[in-house]
Structures are given as structure tokens and as C-alpha cells.
């Protein structure tokens, strides 16, 4: 790490990564009957934190979260990383035009990005394994994630308001 990077690193700046890491754990956590919860909360977390603190949740952090997700879930390495980096980039690029519109448009934009990200992940999985997977599980995961998104958003905003520095810091 460069001296500049180390001087910007604050103890609280790892909190967005830690929150998203917890969401990765929830995403891949097996249930007692052998299934899993079936969410993409890590994607929701990356979207929220990319909006609130893009300077504290870098593309590198999104890549690492995706890589950890893929390793634990047994997915092709880099698949989730690509999706999370693209989602983060979209939020950071859209922030200037969405910020004046308020939280409602942010929420709708995140929902659209979640749908696009899940579709991309499904396409990559189909290409990787060379077969057509059913779309229904992906849609079910998207619905569960969308239903839980307000909780992720609310908890992340609550944590963000307790962090030092101005909310919605520049990237």
C-alpha cells in the first residue's frame, strides 16, 4: 500500500467492507436441511455502500467480496467479482444524476441494477457450464433480495450516520 492509501485508511473505513462480508456469509450460509437462504444480499450491500461511501468500498473491495463468495459457494472464480464491480461502477457513475432525486429513485435504480446483475450472473453461469439453467431460482433469489433490500439499506444508512465524516463522500 502506498503512504497516501495508508494515511486515508481509518478504522471506521473497514466497516462497509465488514458489513458486506457479513452479507456474503449470509448469502452462502447453508440451512439445516441442506439448502441455502437464496439471497444476493452481498450485491445489495455493495450497491448501498457504493452509494453511501464509494471511497470506503472500492472496486478492489468489491472484487475481493465477490471472490470470497465464489470460493465458498463453489462458483467460477471471478463471476461474482465481475458482477459486484460492474454494479459498484454503475452506482458510482449514476450517483451525480440520482442524488438530487432522493432516496426513492436510488431504491428503484438499485432494484433495476439488482435485476441486471442477477441476469448477468445467470448468463455467465450458463456459458461457463455450457448448459441452460432454469431462470426460476434466479427470479426467486431476486424477489427475496428485493424484499430484504429495505432492511439492508436501513441498517447500512444507520451505520453510515454513525461513521465519521460526511455522508455520501465523494469517490
Amino acid at each position: 500500500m502506498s503512504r497516501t492509501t495508508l494515511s486515508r485508511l481509518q478504522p471506521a473505513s473497514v466497516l462497509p467492507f465488514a458489513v458486506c462480508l457479513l452479507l456474503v456469509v449470509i448469502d452462502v450460509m447453508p440451512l439445516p436441511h441442506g439448502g441455502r437462504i437464496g439471497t444476493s444480499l452481498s450485491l445489495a450491500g455493495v450497491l448501498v455502500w457504493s452509494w453511501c461511501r464509494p471511497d470506503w468500498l472500492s472496486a478492489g473491495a468489491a472484487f475481493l467480496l465477490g471472490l470470497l463468495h465464489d470460493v465458498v459457494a463453489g462458483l467460477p472464480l471471478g463471476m461474482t467479482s465481475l458482477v459486484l464491480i460492474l454494479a459498484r461502477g454503475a452506482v458510482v457513475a449514476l450517483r451525480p444524476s440520482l442524488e438530487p432525486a432522493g432516496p426513492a429513485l436510488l431504491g428503484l435504480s438499485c432494484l433495476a441494477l439488482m435485476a441486471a446483475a442477477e441476469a448477468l450472473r445467470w448468463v455467465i453461469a450458463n456459458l461457463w457450464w455450457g448448459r441452460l439453467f432454469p431462470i426460476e431460482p434466479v427470479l426467486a433469489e431476486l424477489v427475496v433480495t428485493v424484499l430484504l433490500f429495505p432492511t439492508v439499506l436501513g441498517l447500512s444508512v444507520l451505520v453510515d450516520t454513525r461513521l465519521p465524516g460526511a455522508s455520501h463522500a465523494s469517490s
Side-chain angles (χ1 to χ4, degrees), residues 79-101:
M79 181 173 81
T80 305
S81 295
L82 175 64
V83 169
L84 294 181
I85 287 171
L86 291 174
R88 182 198 178 277
V91 169
V92 170
L94 292 172
R95 266 180 91 235
S97 59
L98 293 179
E99 196 163 26

mmCIF file of all heavy atoms in Angstrom, residues 79-101:
data_model
loop_
_atom_site.group_PDB
_atom_site.id
_atom_site.type_symbol
_atom_site.label_atom_id
_atom_site.label_comp_id
_atom_site.label_asym_id
_atom_site.label_seq_id
_atom_site.Cartn_x
_atom_site.Cartn_y
_atom_site.Cartn_z
ATOM 1 N N MET A 79 -16.713 -14.731 -11.158
ATOM 2 C CA MET A 79 -18.061 -14.467 -11.657
ATOM 3 C C MET A 79 -18.756 -13.402 -10.795
ATOM 4 O O MET A 79 -19.232 -12.393 -11.313
ATOM 5 C CB MET A 79 -18.898 -15.745 -11.677
ATOM 6 C CG MET A 79 -20.302 -15.527 -12.200
ATOM 7 S SD MET A 79 -21.224 -17.053 -12.429
ATOM 8 C CE MET A 79 -21.765 -17.365 -10.774
ATOM 9 N N THR A 80 -18.787 -13.633 -9.493
ATOM 10 C CA THR A 80 -19.446 -12.673 -8.610
ATOM 11 C C THR A 80 -18.624 -11.392 -8.520
ATOM 12 O O THR A 80 -19.192 -10.301 -8.415
ATOM 13 C CB THR A 80 -19.688 -13.294 -7.227
ATOM 14 O OG1 THR A 80 -20.425 -14.510 -7.400
ATOM 15 C CG2 THR A 80 -20.478 -12.374 -6.325
ATOM 16 N N SER A 81 -17.301 -11.513 -8.593
ATOM 17 C CA SER A 81 -16.448 -10.314 -8.581
ATOM 18 C C SER A 81 -16.810 -9.387 -9.735
ATOM 19 O O SER A 81 -16.952 -8.177 -9.544
ATOM 20 C CB SER A 81 -14.975 -10.707 -8.685
ATOM 21 O OG SER A 81 -14.564 -11.430 -7.567
ATOM 22 N N LEU A 82 -16.949 -9.956 -10.925
ATOM 23 C CA LEU A 82 -17.308 -9.158 -12.088
ATOM 24 C C LEU A 82 -18.648 -8.461 -11.877
ATOM 25 O O LEU A 82 -18.787 -7.260 -12.129
ATOM 26 C CB LEU A 82 -17.363 -10.039 -13.342
ATOM 27 C CG LEU A 82 -17.849 -9.357 -14.620
ATOM 28 C CD1 LEU A 82 -16.882 -8.255 -15.037
ATOM 29 C CD2 LEU A 82 -18.038 -10.377 -15.731
ATOM 30 N N VAL A 83 -19.617 -9.201 -11.381
ATOM 31 C CA VAL A 83 -20.954 -8.639 -11.160
ATOM 32 C C VAL A 83 -20.894 -7.508 -10.130
ATOM 33 O O VAL A 83 -21.471 -6.432 -10.338
ATOM 34 C CB VAL A 83 -21.941 -9.747 -10.733
ATOM 35 C CG1 VAL A 83 -23.249 -9.160 -10.248
ATOM 36 C CG2 VAL A 83 -22.173 -10.718 -11.881
ATOM 37 N N LEU A 84 -20.181 -7.715 -9.024
ATOM 38 C CA LEU A 84 -20.106 -6.690 -7.978
ATOM 39 C C LEU A 84 -19.342 -5.450 -8.440
ATOM 40 O O LEU A 84 -19.738 -4.325 -8.134
ATOM 41 C CB LEU A 84 -19.476 -7.263 -6.706
ATOM 42 C CG LEU A 84 -20.272 -8.348 -5.982
ATOM 43 C CD1 LEU A 84 -19.549 -8.803 -4.721
ATOM 44 C CD2 LEU A 84 -21.692 -7.900 -5.673
ATOM 45 N N ILE A 85 -18.269 -5.646 -9.196
ATOM 46 C CA ILE A 85 -17.507 -4.498 -9.705
ATOM 47 C C ILE A 85 -18.355 -3.688 -10.685
ATOM 48 O O ILE A 85 -18.371 -2.454 -10.632
ATOM 49 C CB ILE A 85 -16.195 -4.957 -10.366
ATOM 50 C CG1 ILE A 85 -15.203 -5.412 -9.303
ATOM 51 C CG2 ILE A 85 -15.574 -3.837 -11.198
ATOM 52 C CD1 ILE A 85 -13.969 -6.072 -9.871
ATOM 53 N N LEU A 86 -19.054 -4.372 -11.581
ATOM 54 C CA LEU A 86 -19.914 -3.664 -12.536
ATOM 55 C C LEU A 86 -21.054 -2.929 -11.820
ATOM 56 O O LEU A 86 -21.387 -1.792 -12.178
ATOM 57 C CB LEU A 86 -20.463 -4.631 -13.584
ATOM 58 C CG LEU A 86 -19.438 -5.183 -14.578
ATOM 59 C CD1 LEU A 86 -20.081 -6.242 -15.472
ATOM 60 C CD2 LEU A 86 -18.827 -4.065 -15.412
ATOM 61 N N ALA A 87 -21.652 -3.572 -10.825
ATOM 62 C CA ALA A 87 -22.738 -2.936 -10.070
ATOM 63 C C ALA A 87 -22.216 -1.710 -9.323
ATOM 64 O O ALA A 87 -22.855 -0.653 -9.332
ATOM 65 C CB ALA A 87 -23.356 -3.936 -9.098
ATOM 66 N N ARG A 88 -21.055 -1.845 -8.682
ATOM 67 C CA ARG A 88 -20.459 -0.710 -7.970
ATOM 68 C C ARG A 88 -20.179 0.431 -8.948
ATOM 69 O O ARG A 88 -20.483 1.591 -8.678
ATOM 70 C CB ARG A 88 -19.174 -1.123 -7.269
ATOM 71 C CG ARG A 88 -18.560 0.026 -6.493
ATOM 72 C CD ARG A 88 -17.098 -0.191 -6.137
ATOM 73 N NE ARG A 88 -16.584 0.966 -5.440
ATOM 74 C CZ ARG A 88 -16.143 2.067 -6.034
ATOM 75 N NH1 ARG A 88 -16.151 2.175 -7.342
ATOM 76 N NH2 ARG A 88 -15.694 3.089 -5.320
ATOM 77 N N GLY A 89 -19.590 0.094 -10.092
ATOM 78 C CA GLY A 89 -19.281 1.112 -11.093
ATOM 79 C C GLY A 89 -20.527 1.830 -11.590
ATOM 80 O O GLY A 89 -20.508 3.049 -11.793
ATOM 81 N N ALA A 90 -21.605 1.089 -11.773
ATOM 82 C CA ALA A 90 -22.856 1.705 -12.227
ATOM 83 C C ALA A 90 -23.397 2.678 -11.189
ATOM 84 O O ALA A 90 -23.827 3.787 -11.527
ATOM 85 C CB ALA A 90 -23.892 0.624 -12.535
ATOM 86 N N VAL A 91 -23.362 2.286 -9.917
ATOM 87 C CA VAL A 91 -23.860 3.175 -8.861
ATOM 88 C C VAL A 91 -23.011 4.435 -8.778
ATOM 89 O O VAL A 91 -23.531 5.554 -8.701
ATOM 90 C CB VAL A 91 -23.905 2.454 -7.494
ATOM 91 C CG1 VAL A 91 -24.162 3.431 -6.366
ATOM 92 C CG2 VAL A 91 -24.968 1.376 -7.503
ATOM 93 N N VAL A 92 -21.699 4.266 -8.792
ATOM 94 C CA VAL A 92 -20.802 5.427 -8.697
ATOM 95 C C VAL A 92 -21.013 6.356 -9.897
ATOM 96 O O VAL A 92 -21.043 7.580 -9.742
ATOM 97 C CB VAL A 92 -19.331 4.967 -8.572
ATOM 98 C CG1 VAL A 92 -18.372 6.142 -8.707
ATOM 99 C CG2 VAL A 92 -19.109 4.257 -7.235
ATOM 100 N N ALA A 93 -21.206 5.787 -11.078
ATOM 101 C CA ALA A 93 -21.432 6.607 -12.273
ATOM 102 C C ALA A 93 -22.785 7.316 -12.235
ATOM 103 O O ALA A 93 -22.907 8.448 -12.707
ATOM 104 C CB ALA A 93 -21.336 5.738 -13.523
ATOM 105 N N LEU A 94 -23.804 6.650 -11.667
ATOM 106 C CA LEU A 94 -25.150 7.232 -11.638
ATOM 107 C C LEU A 94 -25.371 8.193 -10.472
ATOM 108 O O LEU A 94 -26.328 8.972 -10.503
ATOM 109 C CB LEU A 94 -26.193 6.110 -11.567
ATOM 110 C CG LEU A 94 -26.316 5.242 -12.808
ATOM 111 C CD1 LEU A 94 -27.239 4.047 -12.533
ATOM 112 C CD2 LEU A 94 -26.829 6.044 -13.989
ATOM 113 N N ARG A 95 -24.536 8.130 -9.451
ATOM 114 C CA ARG A 95 -24.723 8.950 -8.249
ATOM 115 C C ARG A 95 -24.966 10.430 -8.530
ATOM 116 O O ARG A 95 -25.908 11.011 -7.981
ATOM 117 C CB ARG A 95 -23.518 8.806 -7.316
ATOM 118 C CG ARG A 95 -23.697 7.768 -6.278
ATOM 119 C CD ARG A 95 -22.460 7.667 -5.376
ATOM 120 N NE ARG A 95 -22.626 8.552 -4.245
ATOM 121 C CZ ARG A 95 -21.760 9.489 -3.896
ATOM 122 N NH1 ARG A 95 -20.660 9.675 -4.557
ATOM 123 N NH2 ARG A 95 -21.998 10.238 -2.853
ATOM 124 N N PRO A 96 -24.137 11.074 -9.336
ATOM 125 C CA PRO A 96 -24.343 12.512 -9.530
ATOM 126 C C PRO A 96 -25.721 12.868 -10.085
ATOM 127 O O PRO A 96 -26.304 13.878 -9.691
ATOM 128 C CB PRO A 96 -23.238 12.907 -10.521
ATOM 129 C CG PRO A 96 -22.192 11.863 -10.365
ATOM 130 C CD PRO A 96 -22.937 10.598 -10.030
ATOM 131 N N SER A 97 -26.248 12.033 -10.966
ATOM 132 C CA SER A 97 -27.560 12.346 -11.535
ATOM 133 C C SER A 97 -28.707 11.884 -10.645
ATOM 134 O O SER A 97 -29.805 12.435 -10.717
ATOM 135 C CB SER A 97 -27.700 11.735 -12.934
ATOM 136 O OG SER A 97 -27.541 10.340 -12.868
ATOM 137 N N LEU A 98 -28.490 10.891 -9.787
ATOM 138 C CA LEU A 98 -29.565 10.372 -8.943
ATOM 139 C C LEU A 98 -29.654 11.062 -7.585
ATOM 140 O O LEU A 98 -30.724 11.109 -6.991
ATOM 141 C CB LEU A 98 -29.385 8.872 -8.707
ATOM 142 C CG LEU A 98 -29.546 7.968 -9.910
ATOM 143 C CD1 LEU A 98 -29.309 6.524 -9.522
ATOM 144 C CD2 LEU A 98 -30.922 8.130 -10.527
ATOM 145 N N GLU A 99 -28.548 11.573 -7.100
ATOM 146 C CA GLU A 99 -28.531 12.142 -5.751
ATOM 147 C C GLU A 99 -29.573 13.246 -5.541
ATOM 148 O O GLU A 99 -30.279 13.238 -4.534
ATOM 149 C CB GLU A 99 -27.131 12.647 -5.402
ATOM 150 C CG GLU A 99 -26.962 12.878 -3.932
ATOM 151 C CD GLU A 99 -25.502 12.966 -3.534
ATOM 152 O OE1 GLU A 99 -24.662 13.333 -4.361
ATOM 153 O OE2 GLU A 99 -25.223 12.657 -2.376
ATOM 154 N N PRO A 100 -29.732 14.189 -6.478
ATOM 155 C CA PRO A 100 -30.746 15.227 -6.265
ATOM 156 C C PRO A 100 -32.181 14.688 -6.245
ATOM 157 O O PRO A 100 -33.064 15.293 -5.667
ATOM 158 C CB PRO A 100 -30.562 16.182 -7.446
ATOM 159 C CG PRO A 100 -29.229 15.879 -8.011
ATOM 160 C CD PRO A 100 -28.945 14.446 -7.676
ATOM 161 N N ALA A 101 -32.406 13.541 -6.870
ATOM 162 C CA ALA A 101 -33.759 12.987 -6.966
ATOM 163 C C ALA A 101 -34.223 12.348 -5.666
ATOM 164 O O ALA A 101 -35.408 12.132 -5.480
ATOM 165 C CB ALA A 101 -33.826 11.971 -8.097
#
